[in-house]
């Protein structure tokens, strides 16, 4: 019922739901499953619900993680703009801090897994490059050419000509893998 309402199972141990200590109960059952002392088959039930059993020894994801999960459910992604405020919280700053902690190696493997399950993008620049590249592939598939009108916008509203022009002009700064992809598609660098 909690998961249907909130879209996740990340509860703090002190969290109550409908007047009941659901967080405490969940954490107790997770400990029992982890220790092999569960009288019922909670491991199977938890797996079906998406409860992370390997996150027993880490700090609860907390309010901002839950809010980010809510954001993902509402918008379909967790690429929050740095200055974006959501539900009164500076969620963009939270996301930026998570990326910094990731780059600095301050996140545990379990925390990384939790964020990746949300579809977290660790490197926005890389994500955007491959997103543009994907749209360029779609354009070529549809029109059988790479000659793009300057004013053409993709379905997502991007000016594909400008992006492709920048890739051609700055090709010396692209990595070999990106250069190879563009050449394979037929781009003249």
């Amino acid at each position: 019922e909690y998961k249907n309402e909130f879209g996740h199972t990340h509860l703090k141990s002190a969290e109550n739901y409908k007047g009941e200590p659901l967080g405490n109960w969940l954490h107790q059952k997770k400990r029992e499953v982890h220790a092999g002392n569960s009288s019922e088959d909670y491991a199977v039930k938890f797996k079906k619900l998406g409860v992370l059993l390997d996150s027993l020894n880490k700090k609860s994801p907390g309010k901002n993680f839950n809010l980010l999960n809510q954001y993902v459910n509402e918008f379909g992604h967790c690429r929050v703009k740095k200055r974006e405020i959501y539900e009164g919280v500076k969620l963009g700053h939270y996301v930026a801090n998570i990326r910094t902690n990731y780059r600095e190696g301050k996140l545990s493997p379990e925390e990384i897994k939790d964020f990746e399950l949300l579809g977290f993008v660790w490197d926005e620049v890389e994500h955007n490059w491959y997103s543009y590249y994907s749209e360029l592939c779609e354009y070529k598939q549809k029109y059988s050419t790479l000659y793009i009108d300057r004013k053409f916008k993709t379905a997502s509203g991007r000016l594909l000509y400008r992006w492709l022009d920048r890739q051609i002009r700055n090709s010396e700064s692209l990595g070999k893998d990106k250069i190879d992809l563009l050449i394979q598609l037929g781009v003249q660098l």
Side-chain angles (χ1 to χ4, degrees), residues 5-186:
E5 187 172 333
F6 296 102
H8 64 83
T9 57
H10 302 287
L11 285 88
K12 292 181 182 178
S13 58
E15 194 167 338
N16 289 329
Y17 178 68
K18 294 190 176 181
E20 298 294 326
L22 184 60
N24 187 42
W25 177 86
L26 179 63
H27 285 267
Q28 178 62 36
K29 293 301 176 192
K30 284 169 71 174
R31 281 191 290 279
E32 289 174 13
V33 168
H34 206 287
N37 299 331
S38 179
S39 58
E40 294 186 41
D41 196 9
Y42 282 106
V44 173
K45 292 176 184 176
F46 286 162
K47 186 174 183 176
K48 285 181 183 176
L49 286 172
V51 174
L52 299 174
L53 294 173
D54 60 349
S55 62
L56 289 170
N57 298 320
K58 71 172 188 160
K59 192 174 79 179
S60 174
K63 176 186 167 197
N64 287 343
F65 181 88
N66 293 338
L67 198 59
L68 181 59
N69 189 36
Q70 181 180 326
Y71 183 95
V72 169
N73 289 332
E74 185 173 336
F75 297 105
H77 64 81
C78 53
R79 294 180 316 277
V80 184
K81 293 185 170 107
K82 188 167 185 172
R83 297 181 192 267
E84 190 167 346
I85 296 173
Y86 178 73
E87 299 287 327
V89 173
K90 294 179 180 179
L91 197 59
H93 286 186
Y94 171 71
V95 166
N97 288 337
I98 293 301
R99 282 200 185 95
T100 299
N101 289 341
Y102 174 78
R103 280 191 303 273
E104 294 174 357
K106 294 180 180 177
L107 297 179
S108 71
E110 293 84 15
E111 289 171 315
I112 292 169
K113 182 179 176 183
D114 286 348
F115 284 104
E116 287 176 349
L117 286 172
L118 288 180
F120 200 85
V121 173
W122 297 110
D123 186 335
E124 278 288 318
V125 173
E126 282 292 296
H127 175 80
N128 286 335
W129 193 93
Y130 285 101
S131 182
Y132 268 107
Y133 175 76
S134 176
E135 289 181 314
L136 181 62
C137 291
E138 289 172 17
Y139 181 91
K140 183 173 183 190
Q141 174 93 24
K142 184 173 182 179
Y143 299 106
S144 301
T145 185
L146 289 174
Y147 295 103
I148 304 167
D149 185 277
R150 289 178 182 262
K151 295 178 183 176
F152 174 81
K153 287 187 179 181
T154 64
S156 64
R158 294 175 161 164
L159 290 170
L160 197 54
Y161 173 86
R162 255 199 265 176
W163 177 80
L164 181 56
D165 185 55
R166 274 195 312 270
Q167 304 316 300
I168 294 168
R169 283 187 286 114
N170 300 321
S171 62
E172 67 281 349
S173 66
L174 294 175
K176 181 180 176 353
D177 57 332
K178 291 177 183 172
I179 289 172
D180 289 346
L181 286 172
L182 291 170
I183 290 172
Q184 287 172 4
L185 194 60

